[in-house]
Amino acid sequence: MNGYISNLAPFMAEFIEFKNALGFQYKTGAYYLRQLDLYNSEHKNLSVPDRETVEGWAMLHAAKSVTGDRSWISPVREFGRYMQSIGHEEAYVLDDRFIIQRYHAEVYLMTESEIQRFFDECDRFVMNYKALGRPYVFPALYRFLYCCGARCAEARKLKCENVYLNKGYVDILQSKAHRDRRLYLSDELTEYLMDYDKAISNCFPGREYFFPGGHGGI
């Protein structure tokens, strides 16, 4: 049963299949659930997770973390909710005590003049450096991020084969949660990126990435 050995095994296997059916690979989540499954088999070996078992494993796992990473919390909580949803209302869902309370900065909305000054300064700044392609890449990259709301990693990994300027959109593949999405571009941004594409192609003919690094790669 996918490596699960305790009395929770059939439920965990069904839960992973459920996640896969929704389009999630869920490899990391499956790894953490196997750890919980092993802990359960060595202790009470329950068919329905209770508070003592889940929190016992959680405290043991948290103590091993040097960085304070809490990526393991989500799959364990989701599994508890899944158990409740299929009729096991007594299943324990890990509470908020194990979540790291992070600082949330206040959102500052820039005015149009501030935005314009930012891009003006960006354009001037990169012109001070002689790195091949940089005067073209950074201004285009920042405009793409701003206009499309794309993540930095999505922009850096964007390949030319997934950019369709003639149709006014780009395809972002295997992004967050391993999902694909399509970003439509404004006419103004499309025209800007067309000019950029011509200029950067002279620097890096046949490049793979739309916003290449100093040597044409990512």
Side-chain angles (χ1 to χ4, degrees):
M1 289 188 181
N2 298 322
Y4 302 110
I5 58 176
S6 78
N7 287 333
L8 287 173
F11 299 111
M12 287 185 170
E14 291 172 2
F15 174 65
I16 297 300
E17 290 178 1
F18 169 70
K19 283 294 187 179
N20 292 159
L22 292 177
F24 298 101
Q25 293 188 11
Y26 219 66
K27 292 181 179 179
T28 302
Y31 168 79
Y32 290 130
L33 288 179
R34 279 194 291 272
Q35 300 301 309
L36 175 60
D37 176 65
L38 178 61
Y39 182 89
N40 180 50
S41 71
E42 295 174 346
H43 291 77
K44 301 169 74 172
N45 201 16
L46 301 171
S47 298
V48 178
D50 67 357
R51 179 169 185 164
E52 181 182 353
T53 300
V54 176
E55 290 195 354
W57 174 82
M59 288 187 287
L60 182 66
H61 195 81
K64 296 178 181 179
S65 176
V66 178
T67 62
D69 173 60
R70 290 294 187 271
S71 59
W72 48 269
I73 291 179
S74 179
V76 173
R77 297 183 78 177
E78 289 180 0
F79 176 65
R81 294 191 185 100
Y82 171 79
M83 291 291 290
Q84 291 180 349
S85 72
I86 61 175
H88 299 283
E89 297 181 359
E90 71 276 23
Y92 177 66
V93 177
L94 197 63
D95 64 32
D96 293 339
R97 289 181 296 114
F98 290 89
I99 299 177
I100 296 178
Q101 300 300 319
R102 301 187 183 278
Y103 168 74
H104 295 283
E106 292 186 13
V107 176
Y108 177 77
L109 300 179
M110 299 173 66
T111 65
E112 289 189 16
S113 62
E114 288 174 329
I115 294 172
Q116 186 60 56
R117 290 204 304 272
F118 169 81
F119 285 113
D120 289 343
E121 188 60 33
C122 169
D123 296 345
R124 282 194 296 269
F125 177 78
V126 296
M127 292 303 293
N128 294 328
Y129 293 86
K130 303 301 182 182
L132 183 63
R134 180 171 292 184
Y136 304 121
V137 173
F138 282 176
L141 174 64
Y142 289 139
R143 284 169 171 82
F144 177 77
L145 291 171
Y146 170 73
C147 294
C148 296
R151 300 179 179 91
C152 292
E154 293 173 342
R156 288 192 305 104
K157 297 177 181 178
L158 181 63
K159 294 186 176 182
C160 294
E161 64 185 24
N162 297 317
V163 176
Y164 303 90
L165 296 179
N166 59 325
K167 297 180 180 179
Y169 65 80
V170 302
D171 286 336
I172 304 295
L173 306 182
Q174 290 294 295
S175 185
K176 188 175 182 180
H178 304 286
R179 291 185 173 183
D180 304 336
R181 61 195 181 107
R182 176 164 292 176
L183 299 179
Y184 287 91
L185 313 174
S186 67
D187 292 340
E188 183 179 1
L189 180 61
T190 299
E191 184 177 350
Y192 181 93
L193 292 179
M194 283 181 172
D195 292 337
Y196 156 77
D197 188 45
K198 293 177 183 177
I200 199 64
S201 293
N202 291 328
C203 299
F204 302 110
R207 74 191 191 282
E208 180 179 8
Y209 294 95
F210 194 67
F211 300 109
H215 300 287
I218 191 169

